[in-house]
């Protein structure tokens, strides 16, 4: 249940705010999951700064969220620890603490003008017109459970860190000889003649006798092994299923209609133009001038810009919404104060709102109230299910007591497939996660109640396990024969490729074409390619690498899944850093970044001498032990 509650305690907007800031308002935490018995919660100290277990947990969870999409959306805490995310998280916190203290001792102070400029330049706070949007600014902060003052404080610290890092890494100039050598290495291009012989060109290779077939089958049993299958029972709890059976009396619907009348239908929308000033005097001056010459001209005279907020509702303008919606179209407001400063407003367009009648809103209200009641029930039912499962009650007993449906899956492999190769549970949401949970359990074991997306919980039991086992030769005879034939063709084609390579060691391009034609192969001349090319016109990446290890006229041989490839190096095209079209900027940037990284690593080590770092590994192991 704790995971479910945390999900609704805040939101995650990794791409919106600065990566190093977002940890400060992550909503995840281990809270009462950890019982320390009076042990200090400090997991590390950096100089005079102590890093608490809650900070480490927040950063650890953030790192897990970043990695989770890369591993298919499922990542347990223990897996994350095995990937080294816990140690990475601790290192990140230590690094920030070191930089914070270095900035403080260096007397670095970030003033309000710098903060204001950084906020204005942040793309996440800009509207469709690429202008700073106070409403967007507040919305982003609100969605991430952060106040304006809190965000400003975080931004000050991050900016101070950047100033420290910038001062240390400034002026790094990569050595010119190094840049030139790296440019030559990266920019060198090569051209090759390529002869491709399909394995199928070998033609009929006959069929194996019984002895050969049996040997092939035994040597390649992994190809003919049925995967492990598991029989499952799945109990599922979802808000949508609960909502279907909820009855809402008519009087509750009418009461909800009266309470939400302003929200139903279409709210009034306005297009608001706004000027933001630093102080009240300047705002009043702009407002007075705007009443005679218009807001745009008044803003221009004052050396500022007009911000346009298109089709906004009153609720989308916290602090200034009442003032904006009290104006007549075309009127100029007085100076209006908000947390960002002083505003002067005018309304350029009004779209009147419309309210639905009770009958028109009935279905919408019914769905909303059912969902609300279902969500309330979901908490209590999930708690009861957790308690019953924890007490060892059978899954059927728990499901019957809480009116949960149980689905039976006769056989499913770890990829979610039935023995016939089709999906074992087509159309069932979150089934992949259920299968992954099931394959971590022993036979007969039942999982804990597990949260899935879209307000769904499930518990899965493994009713039986059919171990992976080779299929009988009689069952896979046709596949075994086909496999033997494919391997035979590949072997004969590889031998023929050796003959082609021998013939290509001498001769012209025309001779190479002749060799290809006589061998039933195809011929191609590559375009110039660099050593970092993964594949070039049918040339596998392995051969690209090999071609940068040979001299012109020499050949290399490789294979794809269904063909043999022989390539002869024809030409080397050097990269000249002195050429007029040489572009060294990218190489210079790469070298500079590498040098800067080395310098920053040395600086980090120096900071550790000034601000000793002590890591309490035993506490970390206890706080983050498997199962805590």
């Amino acid at each position: 249940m704790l995971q479910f509650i945390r999900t609704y305690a805040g939101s995650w907007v990794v791409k919106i705010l600065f990566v190093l800031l977002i940890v400060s308002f992550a909503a995840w935490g281990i809270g009462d999951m950890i019982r320390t018995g009076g042990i200090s919660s400090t997991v590390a100290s950096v100089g005079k700064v102590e890093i608490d277990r809650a900070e480490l947990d927040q950063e650890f969870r953030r790192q897990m969220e970043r990695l989770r999409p890369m591993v298919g959306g499922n990542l347990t805490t223990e897996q994350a620890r095995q990937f080294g995310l816990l140690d990475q998280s601790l290192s990140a916190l230590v690094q920030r603490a070191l930089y914070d203290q270095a900035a403080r001792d260096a007397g670095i102070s970030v003033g309000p003008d710098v903060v204001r400029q950084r906020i204005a330049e942040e793309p996440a706070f800009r509207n469709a017109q690429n202008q700073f949007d106070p409403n967007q600014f507040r919305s982003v902060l609100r969605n991430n459970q952060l106040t304006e003052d809190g965000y400003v404080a975080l931004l000050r610290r991050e900016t101070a860190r950047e100033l420290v890092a910038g001062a240390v890494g400034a002026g790094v100039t990569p050595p010119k000889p190094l840049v030139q050598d790296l440019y030559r290495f990266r920019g060198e291009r090569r051209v090759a003649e390529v002869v491709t012989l399909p394995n199928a060109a070998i033609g009929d290779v006959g069929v194996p006798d019984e002895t050969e077939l049996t040997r092939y089958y035994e040597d390649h049993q992994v190809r003919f092994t049925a995967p492990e299958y598991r029989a499952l029972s799945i109990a599922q709890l979802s808000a949508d299923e609960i909502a279907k059976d909820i009855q809402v009396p008519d009087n509750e619907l009418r009461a909800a209609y009266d309470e939400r009348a302003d929200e139903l239908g279409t709210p009034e929308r306005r297009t608001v133009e706004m000027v933001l000033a630093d102080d009240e005097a300047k705002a009043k001056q702009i407002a007075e001038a705007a009443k005679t010459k218009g807001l745009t001209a008044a803003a221009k005279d004052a050396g500022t810009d007009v911000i346009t907020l298109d089709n906004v509702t009153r609720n989308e303008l916290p602090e200034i919404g009442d003032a904006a919606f009290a104006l007549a179209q075309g009127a100029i407001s007085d100076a209006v104060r908000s947390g960002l400063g002083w505003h002067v407003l005018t309304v350029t367009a009004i779209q009147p709102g419309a309210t639905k009648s009770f009958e028109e809103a009935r279905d919408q209200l019914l769905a909303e109230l059912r969902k609300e009641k279902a969500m309330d029930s979901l908490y209590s039912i999930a708690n009861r299910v957790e308690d019953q499962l924890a007490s060892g009650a059978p899954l059927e007993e728990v499901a019957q007591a809480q009116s949960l449906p149980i689905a039976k899956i006769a056989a499913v492999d770890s990829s979610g497939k039935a023995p016939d190769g089709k999906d074992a549970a087509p159309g069932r949401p979150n089934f992949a996660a259920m299968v992954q949970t099931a394959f971590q359990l022993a036979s007969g074991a039942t999982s804990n109640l597990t949260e899935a997306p879209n307000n769904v919980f499930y518990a899965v039991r493994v009713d039986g396990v059919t171990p992976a086992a080779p299929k009988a030769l009689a069952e896979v005879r046709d596949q075994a024969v086909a496999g033997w034939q494919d391997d035979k063709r590949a072997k004969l084609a590889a031998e023929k490729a050796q003959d082609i390579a021998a013939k290509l060691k001498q001769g012209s391009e025309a001779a190479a074409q002749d060799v290809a034609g006589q061998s039933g192969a195809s011929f191609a001349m590559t375009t110039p390619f660099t050593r970092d090319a993964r594949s070039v016109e049918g040339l596998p990446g392995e051969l690209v690498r090999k071609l940068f290890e040979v001299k012109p006229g020499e050949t290399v041989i490789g294979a794809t899944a269904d063909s043999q490839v022989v390539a002869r190096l024809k030409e080397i095209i050097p990269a000249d850093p002195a050429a007029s079209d040489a572009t060294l900027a990218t190489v210079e940037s790469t070298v500079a970044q590498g040098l800067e990284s080395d310098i920053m690593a040395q600086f980090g080590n120096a900071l550790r001498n000034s601000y000793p770092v002590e890591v309490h590994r035993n506490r970390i192991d206890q706080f983050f032990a498997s199962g805590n």
Side-chain angles (χ1 to χ4, degrees):
M1 235 12 248
L2 288 172
Q3 183 183 357
F4 182 86
I5 294 171
R6 286 197 300 272
T7 300
Y8 287 91
S11 59
W12 199 262
V13 192
V14 175
K15 293 185 178 180
I16 293 182
L17 296 180
F18 306 103
V19 171
L20 293 179
L21 291 178
I22 195 166
V23 63
S24 300
F25 49 85
W28 294 61
I30 50 178
D32 60 356
M33 291 175 67
I34 296 177
R35 297 289 182 263
T36 64
I39 298 175
S40 170
S41 63
T42 300
V43 296
S45 59
V46 183
K48 297 180 180 179
V49 175
E50 293 185 344
I51 298 174
D52 188 84
R53 72 169 186 264
E55 295 178 73
L56 179 56
D57 181 71
Q58 288 175 348
E59 176 68 9
F60 182 42
R61 298 291 176 179
R62 185 184 72 83
Q63 296 281 8
M64 287 180 62
E65 287 301 311
R66 292 179 62 189
L67 182 62
R68 184 167 280 122
M70 305 178 193
V71 293
N74 294 287
L75 180 67
T76 66
T77 301
E78 183 58 29
Q79 289 171 334
R81 290 195 64 180
Q82 292 174 1
F83 285 142
L85 293 193
L86 186 61
D87 291 338
Q88 291 180 25
S89 302
L90 180 61
S91 295
L93 293 175
V94 168
Q95 187 79 350
R96 292 170 198 162
L98 288 169
Y99 276 62
D100 286 343
Q101 293 182 89
R104 181 199 61 204
D105 292 350
I108 295 176
S109 177
V110 180
D113 291 341
V114 174
V115 172
R116 187 180 297 110
Q117 180 180 353
R118 291 204 61 171
I119 291 175
E121 292 175 349
E122 171 55 40
F125 304 146
R126 292 176 176 265
N127 57 24
Q129 289 74 41
N130 201 33
Q131 297 174 322
F132 174 73
D133 186 338
N135 182 52
Q136 177 77 1
F137 172 70
R138 295 190 184 94
S139 176
V140 171
L141 298 192
R142 184 169 58 251
N143 289 339
N144 289 278
Q145 308 296 315
L146 192 66
T147 65
E148 292 181 21
D149 289 343
Y151 177 74
V152 168
L154 291 171
L155 190 56
R156 288 182 188 276
R157 289 201 300 272
E158 177 58 25
T159 303
R161 293 181 195 135
E162 292 178 357
L163 291 172
V164 171
V168 174
V172 173
T173 303
K176 189 174 181 179
L178 176 60
V179 172
Q180 291 176 339
D181 286 345
L182 186 57
Y183 178 81
R184 292 187 185 97
F185 179 82
R186 287 184 172 183
E188 178 185 308
R189 296 180 297 162
R190 299 197 169 196
V191 178
E193 300 164 308
V194 181
V195 176
T196 303
L197 176 66
N199 295 341
I202 298 301
D204 184 17
V205 293
V207 295
D209 59 31
E210 199 63 26
T211 301
E212 287 180 305
L213 183 60
T214 300
R215 185 184 304 114
Y216 179 83
Y217 165 78
E218 292 175 348
D219 291 344
H220 300 83
Q221 277 198 356
V222 67
R223 299 185 185 181
F224 311 112
T225 297
E228 177 184 310
Y229 288 100
R230 296 193 168 206
L232 310 179
S233 293
I234 300 172
Q236 184 168 302
L237 171 66
S238 72
D240 290 340
E241 288 296 325
I242 296 173
K244 292 178 181 178
D245 298 326
I246 292 178
Q247 301 298 320
V248 182
D250 197 66
N251 63 323
E252 287 191 30
L253 288 174
R254 290 191 175 275
Y257 175 79
D258 293 338
E259 292 175 1
R260 308 178 188 186
D262 292 340
E263 304 172 10
L264 299 170
T266 305
E268 178 182 330
R269 291 183 173 274
R270 295 188 168 202
T271 297
V272 179
E273 292 185 349
M274 173 181 66
V275 171
L276 182 62
D278 295 334
D279 55 69
E280 183 179 12
K282 185 175 180 180
K284 287 182 175 180
Q285 179 182 356
I286 293 172
E288 190 64 30
K291 291 176 182 178
T292 57
K293 61 174 63 176
L295 188 60
T296 300
K300 184 177 180 181
D301 291 345
T304 188
D305 296 321
V306 174
I307 300 170
T308 301
L309 307 175
D310 288 320
N311 296 323
V312 293
T313 64
R314 183 190 302 264
N315 292 336
E316 291 173 337
L317 298 175
E319 298 186 71
I320 63 173
D322 290 343
F325 276 72
L327 286 174
Q329 185 170 338
I332 302 295
S333 74
D334 294 329
V336 180
R337 188 175 186 178
S338 78
L340 286 179
W342 291 87
H343 307 255
V344 180
L345 313 170
T346 186
V347 176
T348 60
I350 298 176
Q351 295 181 9
T355 302
K356 293 182 180 178
S357 67
F358 174 73
E359 291 302 326
E360 290 173 328
R362 184 185 183 90
D363 290 344
Q364 177 184 344
L365 289 170
L366 180 59
E368 290 177 355
L369 291 181
R370 279 178 170 172
K371 189 64 175 287
E372 290 172 6
K373 291 176 179 290
M375 290 299 297
D376 292 339
S377 299
L378 192 67
Y379 281 93
S380 57
I381 295 174
N383 279 324
R384 293 197 296 271
V385 170
E386 282 184 322
D387 292 342
Q388 289 181 283
L389 289 175
S391 69
L395 188 62
E396 286 82 1
E397 179 182 318
V398 175
Q400 183 177 8
Q402 305 304 330
S403 300
L404 305 183
I406 286 190
K408 295 286 187 178
I409 308 297
V412 61
D413 66 16
S414 60
S415 67
K417 301 294 184 182
D420 61 3
K422 298 179 180 179
D423 289 339
R428 175 178 286 274
N430 308 308
F431 186 62
M434 297 176 185
V435 170
Q436 183 172 11
T437 299
F439 271 77
Q440 295 174 354
L441 299 172
S443 181
T446 302
S447 72
N448 296 325
L449 190 65
T450 303
E451 181 185 359
N454 301 319
N455 307 320
V456 173
F457 290 84
Y458 67 87
V460 58
R461 183 183 64 208
V462 179
D463 296 329
V465 176
T466 302
K471 298 178 182 179
L473 176 56
E475 186 180 352
V476 296
R477 175 175 291 274
D478 290 344
Q479 297 97 303
V481 169
W484 179 90
Q485 291 173 331
D486 288 342
D487 284 6
K488 185 72 171 180
R489 290 189 186 95
K491 180 179 179 181
L492 293 176
E495 293 174 357
K496 195 169 184 178
Q498 293 288 346
D499 294 337
I500 294 173
K503 294 176 181 178
L504 288 180
K505 287 183 179 179
Q506 300 294 331
S508 63
E509 178 181 335
Q513 292 178 341
D514 291 341
V515 170
Q518 295 165 5
S519 305
S522 62
F523 172 83
M525 181 79 72
T526 69
T527 56
F529 56 89
T530 56
R531 68 180 68 244
D532 60 353
R534 295 188 177 182
S535 64
V536 181
E537 301 169 16
L539 195 64
E542 175 193 5
L543 289 193
V544 171
R545 177 182 59 79
K546 289 182 178 180
L547 284 167
F548 274 85
E549 298 173 354
V550 299
K551 300 175 182 179
E554 295 182 345
T555 61
V556 295
I557 302 175
T560 66
D562 56 5
S563 64
Q564 308 299 315
V565 181
V566 182
R568 180 172 64 181
L569 182 61
K570 179 176 178 60
E571 181 183 5
I572 297 176
I573 306 174
D576 183 5
S580 59
D581 60 347
T583 54
L584 302 180
T586 301
V587 178
E588 288 178 347
S589 176
T590 301
V591 175
Q593 289 175 8
L595 293 174
E596 184 176 341
S597 177
D598 291 343
I599 292 172
M600 295 309 299
Q602 295 177 28
F603 179 63
N605 291 333
L607 288 179
R608 287 171 177 262
N609 293 330
S610 300
Y611 313 104
V613 176
E614 181 180 5
V615 176
H616 303 290
R617 180 58 61 181
N618 58 331
R619 296 177 190 171
I620 295 175
D621 292 340
Q622 179 177 350
F623 295 151
F624 294 88
S626 178
N628 278 358

